């Protein structure tokens, strides 16, 4: 029996609700917004990101998140670019959390899938695990808008035979998020 879309959405949001509910009023931060990503010498991949941190997670220095970016929302709009999706969870360590500019390192793990849309490419590998690192800067504002920029490196890449040939190593990204839960001032 197929589950209705509303139930799927509820089950998808339930872990997020359980994660944030005990921390309300205790300085937790929940940010949601857009991620604009560009693979060096290849596609634009855009999508959504959600990031959470709490004073209980290494004194607000650990940020966990969930992100989905796709060329369907970037280079593949109105073109013949390969439609590819990246879905990953992340963990970031933020330095200087009390400052205006907060450097961070991030580790991402998830799944990559390319949709070649033709049977002539059926012998090519179209999916791969994702594992990448990022180094960047986060700039929170008092207006609840946060900007984060980073340079990343995919540790798993491909040549088309054993993993997708469009999974290139270097990428950079800009995230613009809105603070749904704003942390208390330090």
């Amino acid at each position: 029996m197929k589950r209705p879309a509303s139930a799927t959405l509820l089950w998808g949001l339930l872990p997020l609700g359980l994660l944030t509910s005990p921390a309300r009023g205790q300085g937790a931060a929940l940010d949601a917004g857009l991620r604009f990503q560009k693979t060096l010498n290849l596609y634009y991949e855009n999508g959504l990101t959600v990031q959470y941190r709490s004073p209980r997670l290494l004194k607000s220095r650990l940020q966990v998140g969930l992100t989905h970016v796709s060329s369907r929302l970037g280079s593949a709009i109105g073109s013949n670019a390969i439609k590819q999706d990246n879905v990953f969870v992340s963990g970031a360590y933020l330095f200087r959390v009390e400052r205006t500019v907060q450097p961070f390192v991030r580790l991402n793990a998830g799944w990559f899938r390319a949709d070649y849309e033709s049977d002539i490419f059926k012998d090519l590998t179209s999916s791969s695990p994702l594992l990448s690192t990022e180094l960047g800067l986060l700039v929170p504002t008092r207006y609840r808008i946060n900007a984060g920029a980073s340079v990343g490196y995919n540790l798993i890449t491909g040549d088309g035979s054993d993993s997708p040939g469009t999974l290139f190593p270097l990428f950079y990204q800009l995230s613009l998020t809105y603070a749904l839960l704003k942390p208390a001032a330090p």
Side-chain angles (χ1 to χ4, degrees):
M1 179 176 193
K2 186 167 169 120
R3 191 179 335 170
S6 59
T8 302
L9 178 64
L10 176 65
W11 282 108
L13 294 176
L14 184 63
L16 201 55
L18 293 174
L19 187 61
T20 62
S21 61
R24 290 185 196 273
Q26 297 176 8
L30 177 65
D31 302 335
L34 302 174
R35 179 171 166 129
F36 307 97
Q37 183 170 302
K38 170 79 166 89
T39 302
L40 191 62
N41 297 325
L42 199 59
Y43 295 142
Y44 288 96
E45 298 170 306
N46 305 315
L48 301 173
T49 186
V50 176
Q51 304 292 321
Y52 174 79
R53 64 181 169 163
S54 167
R56 294 181 294 165
L57 298 174
L58 295 176
K59 299 180 181 177
S60 290
R61 293 185 182 279
L62 179 64
Q63 184 179 55
V64 295
L66 176 65
T67 301
H68 174 244
V69 291
S70 176
S71 65
R72 298 170 200 273
L73 301 172
S75 294
I77 294 176
S79 77
N80 64 351
I82 295 171
K83 293 168 177 60
Q84 54 191 41
D85 295 281
N86 300 273
V87 178
F88 54 88
V89 294
S90 62
Y93 185 84
L94 295 120
F95 301 90
R96 300 175 41 169
V97 293
E98 67 287 344
R99 301 286 175 92
T100 303
V101 177
Q102 302 170 6
F104 66 85
V105 293
R106 180 180 290 143
L107 180 65
N108 306 312
W111 196 254
F112 171 89
R113 183 177 183 284
D115 182 2
Y116 298 126
E117 298 184 343
S118 177
D119 287 338
I120 62 172
F121 300 113
K122 68 182 179 195
D123 293 334
L124 294 178
T125 304
S126 63
S127 62
S128 171
L130 270 180
L131 185 61
S132 63
T133 60
E134 294 179 44
L135 179 62
L137 299 172
L138 175 66
V139 182
T141 69
R142 63 181 180 186
Y143 303 108
R144 299 175 78 121
I145 303 291
N146 302 315
S150 63
V151 174
Y153 186 80
N154 283 313
L155 300 170
I156 300 172
T157 60
D159 61 3
S161 60
D162 58 348
S163 58
T166 58
L167 187 53
F168 281 24
L170 292 173
F171 64 91
Y172 49 94
Q173 69 87 25
L174 171 68
S175 296
L176 298 174
T177 59
Y178 179 77
L180 300 172
L181 290 179
K182 189 173 181 181

